[in-house]
Amino acid sequence: MQIRRIGVDDALLQVRRDVLYPNATLSAVTVEHDADGLHFGVFEGGQLVTVVSLFPGKGEAQFRKLATLPAAQGKGYGKAILEHLADICRKENIQLLWCNARDTAVSFYDRLGYTTRGNYFVKDGINFIRMELSLEKPVAKRFEVIPAIDIIDGKCVRLTQGDYSQQKIYNEHPLEVAKEFEALGVRRLHLVDLDGAKKGAVVNWKVLENIAGKTSLVTDFGGGIKTDKDLEIVYECGAALATIGSVAVKSPELFFSWVERFGADKIFLGADVKDEKIAVGGWLETTGLSVFDFLASNIARGVQNIFCTDIAKDGLLAGPSIDLYKKILGEFPAISFVASGGVSNIGDVAALQEIGCHGVIIGKAIYEGKISTAELKSFL
């Protein structure tokens, strides 16, 4: 799926006509001020399947003539293109996105968070009502410090740059570590099943079950989640979010089916990055996929909880990739973005909060004493 700007040509008008006004001529489905609008299309396999037109104004923008070909309906194209419009509006500091929706489409917009305004009116024998989506920035979420617990053989360990031969055991009992974090006031926990990541199936589910059952920590769990059954095990064992990485790269449709089935609020998308390209396979393989293209395609399908690890930094205590994270936040200001990798001291944490990150995952800096308990508590 690709979303891009298009012109007011026969291709756009044909989709408009065929979906919205089947008996009309192409000239009849042009819109007043079409020449002033921004027009977008969704392409699948080279075919134009969805169109919409955006008309920005002062502080608000109207979109008109959203249309998806019948054979392509129900596949998320309408949702994706509207999220694309919302992102454009946010970047232009437009605070309200609206349309005059047909009565048959009200439930669709309801599901996307739009609300009705005013009363129904009739035009050309069709009932319409204004529907609006507020794009004002919500009250800022509290910045989250998220300690990481990596598990091998049921023990709390840390690797250096994902290298299993460079592991250090910090505690034989991960539950004890989790309870210590909880006692400090930590609310979130990042749990990684390194055995599972290596095997390609969830292994250390018992550790997750213990921590979820015996603490109040909001825990995300990843490593080895490759199938529907893996994901079901993770949720059944108490994970609030499932951390997904390589599946989203290698099997995107499977990943999107999980987002649709379980909800975007239950998914924590991990982007491992080297030189702004996505890496997979325990960091052994760098793809040619830009992190920005990867994130854009996932955000268009509703993903909002995202963390990014610069693999050149992870486990080295060399400082986080501030410039990369600034670029990501500038490109995608509406996501809940968590930084990961490289944190070496409390100043790094403050710097990540300052640039707008919603949280930071910290591992080695805590376990090696580079960040003291008192310093950690100042962010809790």
Side-chain angles (χ1 to χ4, degrees), residues 278-296:
I278 293 293
V280 293
W283 302 351
L284 298 176
E285 176 189 348
T286 301
T287 70
L289 179 60
S290 156
V291 62
F292 301 100
D293 291 341
F294 174 69
L295 294 180

Side-chain angles (χ1 to χ4, degrees), residues 184-233:
L184 281 178
V186 167
R187 295 177 299 278
R188 281 279 306 271
L189 185 68
H190 181 64
L191 196 57
V192 183
D193 181 358
L194 291 174
D195 292 315
K198 199 170 188 179
K199 181 180 178 181
V202 173
V203 173
N204 286 294
W205 57 269
K206 233 354 186 184
V207 175
L208 167 62
E209 192 173 55
N210 271 338
I211 290 174
K214 296 177 181 178
T215 74
S216 61
L217 295 168
V218 176
T219 302
D220 65 79
F221 181 94
I225 300 174
K226 304 294 184 187
T227 66
D228 289 6
K229 184 62 178 174
D230 290 324
L231 200 56
E232 289 164 8
I233 289 170

Side-chain angles (χ1 to χ4, degrees), residues 313-334:
K313 299 276 192 175
D314 191 67
L316 297 181
L317 301 174
S321 297
I322 296 289
D323 290 341
L324 172 63
Y325 300 149
K326 275 184 178 178
K327 287 176 71 174
I328 291 172
L329 287 163
E331 189 75 19
F332 309 108

Side-chain angles (χ1 to χ4, degrees), residues 73-293:
Q73 291 177 7
K75 297 182 178 180
Y77 298 134
K79 177 181 178 181
I81 204 167
L82 289 181
E83 183 57 43
H84 186 74
L85 297 190
D87 282 341
I88 290 170
C89 291
R90 289 186 184 101
K91 289 175 185 176
E92 298 300 322
N93 293 317
I94 290 172
Q95 297 181 340
L96 187 72
L97 182 62
W98 67 278
C99 71
N100 288 322
R102 295 184 179 207
D103 55 1
T104 54
V106 167
S107 62
F108 167 73
Y109 291 113
D110 273 339
R111 291 194 298 273
L112 299 183
Y114 286 74
T115 56
T116 56
R117 177 77 178 270
N119 300 313
Y120 281 93
F121 61 94
V122 179
K123 183 179 180 183
D124 298 327
I126 301 170
N127 293 320
F128 291 91
I129 191 166
R130 178 171 168 134
M131 299 200 74
E132 300 179 345
L133 178 70
S134 173
L135 301 177
E136 291 187 47
K137 291 183 178 179
V139 176
K141 289 183 179 179
R142 186 171 180 175
F143 183 79
E144 294 277 10
V145 169
I146 309 172
I149 296 180
D150 293 355
I151 308 298
I152 290 180
D153 293 332
K155 302 169 185 175
C156 175
V157 307
R158 290 301 289 172
L159 304 184
T160 298
Q161 294 194 289
D163 186 348
Y164 283 76
S165 69
Q166 297 187 62
Q167 65 175 266
K168 181 175 181 179
I169 297 173
Y170 287 101
N171 195 302
E172 300 272 342
H173 306 290
L175 178 59
E176 290 181 1
V177 180
K179 285 185 172 182
E180 288 171 6
F181 286 135
E182 183 180 37
L184 281 178
V186 167
R187 295 177 299 278
R188 281 279 306 271
L189 185 68
H190 181 64
L191 196 57
V192 183
D193 181 358
L194 291 174
D195 292 315
K198 199 170 188 179
K199 181 180 178 181
V202 173
V203 173
N204 286 294
W205 57 269
K206 233 354 186 184
V207 175
L208 167 62
E209 192 173 55
N210 271 338
I211 290 174
K214 296 177 181 178
T215 74
S216 61
L217 295 168
V218 176
T219 302
D220 65 79
F221 181 94
I225 300 174
K226 304 294 184 187
T227 66
D228 289 6
K229 184 62 178 174
D230 290 324
L231 200 56
E232 289 164 8
I233 289 170
V234 166
Y235 290 134
E236 287 169 5
C237 289
L241 300 96
T243 302
I244 311 293
S246 59
V247 169
V249 181
K250 295 186 171 182
S251 305
E253 290 309 316
L254 174 61
F255 174 64
F256 293 140
S257 76
W258 294 345
V259 175
E260 187 72 24
R261 177 181 171 190
F262 296 100
D265 59 328
K266 299 281 287 182
I267 301 290
F268 197 25
L269 176 64
D272 292 333
V273 180
K274 183 177 182 181
D275 298 326
E276 297 191 359
K277 302 294 184 184
I278 293 293
V280 293
W283 302 351
L284 298 176
E285 176 189 348
T286 301
T287 70
L289 179 60
S290 156
V291 62
F292 301 100
D293 291 341

